[in-house]
Amino acid sequence: MDTQYWVGDFFIDLTRNQITQKMHSQTIPPKALAVLTYLAKNANKVVSHDELLSEVWPDTVVTPNTLHRSIAQLRKALGEGNLSFIKTHPKQGYSLEVEVRWQNNINSTSTDVTSDAFTSNHSSQEDTVDDSQVKDSTAPDSAQHSAPSRVALKLISMVAGGIILAIIGYQNLTPKQTPQLTFDKLRVLTATDDKEFDATYTPDGNYIVFHRYLDKLCVNKIWAKNISTQKEIQLTNDWGAYGRHSFSKDGKKLVFLATQPCNQPVTQRDCYDLVSLDFDKSLKSPQQPSVILKCKNSILKKPSWLNDGSITLKQRDSNGWKLINYSPSLNKSTDLYVPNDGSVIDYAYSVADDLIAVARIHKDGKQYIELISPDGKLLSSHPIERLPEISKFRSLYPNFDPLNKQLFFSTGRQLFTLSYEGKVTKINSPFGDRMTQPEFHPSGKKLLMLKGPYDSDIVKVPLNEITGIGLQTHRSETQTSQSQPESSQSKLSSSNQPTNYAIFERTNLGEDYALFQPGGKLIAFLSERSGEEQLWVSDGKDSQKLTNFPLDTYINGIDWAEDGKSLLVNANNVLTQVFLDSTQKTFPMEHPVSQLYQWESKNNSALMAVRIEGIIKIVEFDLNKSDFREVSDKFVFWTLKSEDGRLILYDHMGQFWKPGPVEPQQIKALNKQGGKSRSFVIKNNIIYDINDDNQLWSYDLNNDDFKILGEVGDNVDYLTDIDQTQLLMTIQVSAKKEVVELSLSK
């Protein structure tokens, strides 16, 4: 079957479902392309509606509107000015009125074209005789015949060479094919009750190296596993490791970011030392990492060891993220890549090609893929052309495919390749599980990923059980007997502290972010029980799903309207108002919403973080006028307004801030009170949160009164809401992550 052909100056590639003109590609539905292909095979002929329907949709009952829709898609793809390409014949059908060139015919006839050119030119040149050779009557016959032959051959070779060059040039206009990847095997490389994450291969491909975090014991260690023997080796003593590792080119050392062990007091949040580890020594006995670069106030992420021995990192500054280069030998860092506008989202380094790929947001708000050299020279820059399966504002985090001169990325349940020119192609995969952090084996034939659900439940706890004398909490008899599986009771009893809370909502997947309905009895929450994260409401007996967001949806923030009749949801970086009857109203957004913090429905304004030209800004957005004002230039994790309008901020250093006479003032009473959730709740001008010692506390903004209210179980992830008598919390049942390996089909 011919899979590539030209319609005028449009190149059609059926293997990629694309139409390309002048290096600009569009992805077209397969059925629409099938219509075009059948018309192309019958170019300049009228093809009836019935013939097209039976050819493209065999054994399927479809209406003529389906065909009309495909024709409209094709005309749009071929350009509004080229409507005459596909001509409508009323009550008859359609015809394709343009030259069609099939790629296989072009390739197969190239030799014949050269041969024909040689023959015609040779015969014509025999009649052309050089004067000097006619006059040379003394030359032997063989010489007299050979002289014209050399002239002819010279001219023939020039013509033939030109034709060959033209053919090569013509073929080079055809967009290069992105190699099609298909994975058909999956095997689990780690299988414990703990969290394994941030996995990488060693440069020789013999080991995987990963973090193993024991939640209950607050222990985080780095391990290696020999892929052949399956032997696991502990590489470090207790250490607060963070982020993925990167190996030196020779594989002898690895570098990563770290804090002190998590059983030591945290003085600075999100401030991590750059450390290294001797891999060979660690294989023999656990080693303590060596600090290369001590953290001060900078926010650093994702170190990568380059071939020249320097280390590249992402660094946040006031204008977003940039890349810096750190030299361990000189103990000096320099800017490697600072965008003139926008911000760096992510980057990847190819050891094989000594090349850096940067995913970046430009001033136009679009994400680009850019290639730079290790010295920071920009080699290419192209916008990423998104497929319909990828939401408009989703940030993409590509990595290198070492064999095929391309990149790839995951959106959760879907994998995609990304060409250096920004073209995206979906990868065929039979696996439907959510998997993240893809990284290829050095051979390019296998792929590491992380897999495993986060299982959390929602608990509703009377305040007096936390603040009173009895911390012994209980499960309600009704829910124990009617709605809770026996396994959920045993899962919740593993802590040394009382954690037998009454479960409000439970499945074996994530239930999260519960909020009381203002003036009502419902509780809104997020749940993955239907396969994707969706918005639900429950009265404690019956649950109702309000949304049906698409595959790989991510939700960052929900809040009730003050009248309790609807909620505002930040799904896929877009704000949507969802009513209790499941009807929705989407607000057009010029910028992606990173986090929704709060919705004041009375004046229809939202407090949120938006990404403007790649830089996160805290803004108050007027949903009626679709405009906003910036309310803080601080880099914060969480922010809320109190009932009397005071803006409270919680920053990356674990500090709380409130408005001051001139500038924000630090709330010193709350130093070191921020919890692992990096969020808080405000009710009646009082801040509530749970600290790292599992203590529920309050701070009254009116009289600066700080109180420890009581203690919660260590399986509590965070506080989500509170009213006069009860609080809502998310508890962690399990957060198992395991490293899996996908193999390419042969």
Side-chain angles (χ1 to χ4, degrees):
M1 175 184 174
D2 293 317
T3 58
Q4 297 172 330
Y5 59 96
W6 293 80
V7 173
D9 59 351
F10 289 87
F11 178 73
I12 317 300
D13 185 353
L14 300 181
T15 65
R16 301 177 66 185
N17 295 328
Q18 286 186 344
I19 294 179
T20 302
Q21 183 191 40
K22 297 179 180 179
M23 303 310 293
H24 174 70
S25 296
Q26 305 172 67
T27 300
I28 308 299
K31 289 298 185 184
L33 280 183
V35 171
L36 180 62
T37 301
Y38 194 72
L39 289 174
K41 290 179 178 178
N42 297 275
N44 301 303
K45 297 179 182 178
V46 179
V47 181
S48 70
H49 299 103
D50 291 342
E51 187 176 351
L52 281 169
L53 289 171
S54 62
E55 177 67 26
V56 178
W57 290 274
D59 305 319
T60 304
V61 178
V62 295
T63 65
N65 286 336
T66 303
L67 176 58
H68 300 335
R69 187 163 52 248
S70 293
I71 293 293
Q73 290 170 335
L74 292 171
R75 283 174 168 165
K76 182 178 179 181
L78 295 172
E80 298 299 334
N82 292 321
L83 294 178
S84 59
F85 278 10
I86 302 177
K87 185 176 180 180
T88 300
H89 300 268
K91 299 182 180 181
Q92 296 182 57
Y94 299 98
S95 64
L96 186 63
E97 305 287 341
V98 67
E99 180 188 6
V100 175
R101 305 185 303 279
W102 298 94
Q103 185 69 16
N104 289 346
N105 292 341
I106 294 171
N107 293 334
S108 63
T109 58
S110 60
T111 302
D112 295 335
V113 170
T114 305
S115 176
D116 291 342
F118 178 88
T119 303
S120 61
N121 280 283
H122 182 71
S123 60
S124 63
Q125 290 296 327
E126 284 183 335
D127 297 330
T128 304
V129 182
D130 185 65
D131 289 345
S132 62
Q133 294 176 23
V134 171
K135 293 177 182 178
D136 190 5
S137 58
T138 59
D141 291 345
S142 60
Q144 291 182 24
H145 288 286
S146 63
S149 298
R150 284 196 297 270
V151 174
L153 287 173
K154 184 176 180 180
L155 291 171
I156 288 166
S157 60
M158 289 174 62
V159 174
I163 293 173
I164 292 171
L165 288 175
I167 293 170
I168 293 173
Y170 176 77
Q171 292 177 342
N172 283 340
L173 290 175
T174 303
K176 295 181 180 179
Q177 295 296 298
T178 300
Q180 295 292 311
L181 304 179
T182 303
F183 296 94
D184 61 356
K185 294 180 182 178
L186 182 149
R187 67 167 177 156
V188 178
L189 298 183
T190 62
T192 69
D193 290 329
D194 305 310
K195 281 193 288 189
E196 286 99 6
F197 55 98
D198 288 334
T200 58
Y201 287 106
T202 54
D204 60 12
N206 294 330
Y207 291 87
I208 61 167
V209 176
F210 57 92
H211 291 291
R212 174 170 286 156
Y213 181 70
L214 285 68
D215 277 319
K216 302 302 179 187
L217 301 178
C218 192
V219 173
N220 191 12
K221 299 177 182 179
I222 299 178
W223 290 72
K225 184 166 190 171
N226 188 301
I227 297 176
S228 299
T229 66
Q230 298 295 295
K231 180 181 179 181
E232 291 189 348
I233 305 163
Q234 181 182 326
L235 301 181
T236 64
N237 296 312
D238 295 355
W239 193 258
Y242 169 84
R244 303 179 77 173
H245 323 87
S246 175
F247 274 90
S248 56
K249 186 178 181 180
D250 58 12
K252 294 182 178 180
K253 290 185 177 182
L254 64 154
V255 66
F256 53 97
L257 295 167
T259 62
Q260 294 299 312
C262 55
N263 57 4
Q264 296 185 12
V266 176
T267 58
Q268 293 178 318
R269 292 185 179 274
D270 260 34
C271 189
Y272 296 88
D273 297 332
L274 181 66
V275 301
S276 69
L277 191 70
D278 188 305
F279 184 64
D280 291 336
K281 288 183 179 179
S282 300
L283 288 175
K284 298 174 183 176
S285 63
Q287 301 291 308
Q288 191 76 355
S290 302
V291 176
I292 302 176
L293 181 63
K294 192 72 178 174
C295 171
K296 294 182 180 178
N297 293 313
S298 296
I299 303 177
L300 300 174
K301 289 188 176 181
K302 198 174 183 180
S304 291
W305 220 316
L306 305 188
N307 289 344
D308 63 4
S310 63
I311 299 169
T312 293
L313 303 102
K314 278 176 59 181
Q315 183 182 43
R316 184 178 176 88
D317 61 15
S318 58
N319 294 318
W321 291 93
K322 63 181 180 179
L323 295 185
I324 64 170
N325 195 296
Y326 174 73
S327 171
S329 59
L330 300 176
N331 190 28
K332 181 180 178 182
S333 65
T334 56
D335 287 342
L336 174 65
Y337 182 67
V338 183
N340 293 327
D341 57 71
S343 179
V344 171
I345 297 297
D346 194 31
Y347 81 99
Y349 176 63
S350 170
V351 174
D353 296 328
D354 198 23
L355 188 65
I356 299 172
V358 178
R360 177 188 158 201
I361 302 292
H362 274 221
K363 191 174 183 178
D364 60 8
K366 296 180 180 179
Q367 186 168 346
Y368 283 62
I369 187 68
E370 300 181 335
L371 299 181
I372 65 172
S373 60
D375 60 2
K377 182 181 178 182
L378 181 63
L379 304 176
S380 66
S381 177
H382 297 278
I384 296 176
E385 298 182 1
R386 293 172 180 260
L387 299 182
E389 297 94 326
I390 305 171
S391 61
K392 177 182 178 181
F393 290 130
R394 188 178 195 120
S395 295
L396 307 178
Y397 301 86
N399 209 338
F400 277 98
D401 174 353
L403 289 186
N404 296 310
K405 303 295 183 182
Q406 64 182 359
L407 300 130
F408 64 99
F409 60 90
S410 165
T411 58
R413 288 187 171 88
Q414 302 174 97
L415 282 170
F416 301 87
T417 59
L418 172 64
S419 75
Y420 292 168
E421 292 76 33
K423 306 293 189 294
V424 175
T425 305
K426 190 173 180 179
I427 297 175
N428 296 321
S429 173
F431 314 112
D433 296 326
R434 183 180 289 112
M435 293 184 280
T436 59
Q437 292 189 356
E439 179 179 306
F440 263 106
H441 188 276
S443 69
K445 298 179 181 179
K446 296 182 290 186
L447 184 71
L448 274 187
M449 296 194 77
L450 297 183
K451 171 180 170 294
Y454 172 72
D455 183 1
S456 61
D457 294 342
I458 295 168
V459 297
K460 184 170 68 171
V461 183
L463 267 172
N464 60 13
E465 293 187 0
I466 302 295
T467 61
I469 58 172
L471 280 179
Q472 297 293 332
T473 55
H474 65 278
R475 180 186 304 274
S476 68
E477 293 182 3
T478 301
Q479 288 177 329
T480 301
S481 61
Q482 294 182 5
S483 61
Q484 303 307 319
E486 294 180 1
S487 59
S488 68
Q489 299 183 45
S490 60
K491 283 183 180 180
L492 296 172
S493 61
S494 60
S495 171
N496 293 327
Q497 296 173 314
T499 58
N500 197 23
Y501 297 120
I503 303 295
F504 181 78
E505 283 292 336
R506 156 115 189 103
T507 65
N508 61 356
L509 294 171
E511 319 291 321
D512 200 5
Y513 209 82
L515 298 174
F516 290 112
Q517 180 189 25
K521 297 181 179 180
L522 295 176
I523 289 177
F525 61 98
L526 303 179
S527 176
E528 297 181 8
R529 64 182 69 182
S530 62
E532 289 297 321
E533 192 170 44
Q534 305 289 349
L535 176 63
W536 292 68
V537 292
S538 173
D539 60 3
K541 297 179 181 178
D542 298 314
S543 301
Q544 176 188 355
K545 181 164 70 78
L546 297 184
T547 60
N548 190 29
F549 294 122
L551 185 67
D552 286 342
T553 284
Y554 54 98
I555 298 176
N556 289 325
I558 62 173
D559 200 10
W560 279 100
E562 294 179 36
D563 61 8
K565 295 180 179 180
S566 63
L567 294 109
L568 191 64
V569 183
N570 175 27
N572 299 319
N573 302 116
V574 176
L575 295 181
T576 300
Q577 185 177 2
V578 180
F579 296 87
L580 294 181
D581 62 359
S582 294
T583 58
Q584 298 181 9
K585 176 184 177 181
T586 299
F587 295 93
M589 305 300 298
E590 182 181 356
H591 306 289
V593 181
S594 298
Q595 180 70 53
L596 170 65
Y597 301 112
Q598 194 173 27
W599 181 29
E600 295 182 82
S601 61
K602 187 175 294 184
N603 57 15
N604 209 18
S605 67
L607 183 63
M608 59 193 194
V610 297
R611 189 185 295 276
I612 303 174
E613 297 179 13
I615 302 169
I616 300 295
K617 304 281 188 181
I618 307 300
V619 304
E620 196 166 37
F621 188 84
D622 188 323
L623 296 174
N624 295 324
K625 299 179 180 178
S626 295
D627 62 7
F628 61 87
R629 66 180 184 90
E630 187 174 345
V631 297
S632 174
D633 58 359
K634 272 184 168 292
F635 175 47
V636 301
F637 284 136
W638 199 256
T639 180
L640 292 174
K641 271 189 173 183
S642 62
E643 284 81 357
D644 58 10
R646 282 176 282 186
L647 184 69
I648 308 301
L649 306 168
Y650 177 58
D651 69 13
H652 71 285
M653 302 301 287
Q655 300 168 336
F656 286 83
W657 300 81
K658 64 180 180 180
V662 179
E663 58 186 16
Q665 293 181 337
Q666 185 183 350
I667 308 176
K668 294 184 179 180
L670 300 184
N671 281 352
K672 302 181 183 179
Q673 295 301 323
K676 57 187 175 182
S677 69
R678 300 172 174 176
S679 64
F680 57 88
V681 174
I682 295 182
K683 284 295 171 71
N684 300 319
N685 295 320
I686 299 175
I687 306 174
Y688 296 91
D689 198 7
I690 298 170
N691 62 24
D692 286 332
D693 293 325
N694 301 316
Q695 295 171 323
L696 175 68
W697 56 262
S698 68
Y699 177 80
D700 193 321
L701 288 166
N702 292 330
N703 56 27
D704 297 325
D705 184 26
F706 172 79
K707 291 180 180 178
I708 298 293
L709 302 179
E711 192 171 0
V712 301
D714 61 6
N715 63 343
V716 171
D717 260 10
Y718 51 96
L719 174 72
T720 61
D721 204 0
I722 193 167
D723 64 12
Q724 292 79 6
T725 60
Q726 300 176 106
L727 54 84
L728 291 170
M729 300 184 295
T730 299
I731 63 169
Q732 177 183 300
V733 177
S734 68
K736 183 179 178 181
K737 293 289 182 185
E738 55 193 12
V739 183
V740 298
E741 188 176 63
L742 280 64
S743 298
L744 284 170
S745 57
K746 297 180 180 179

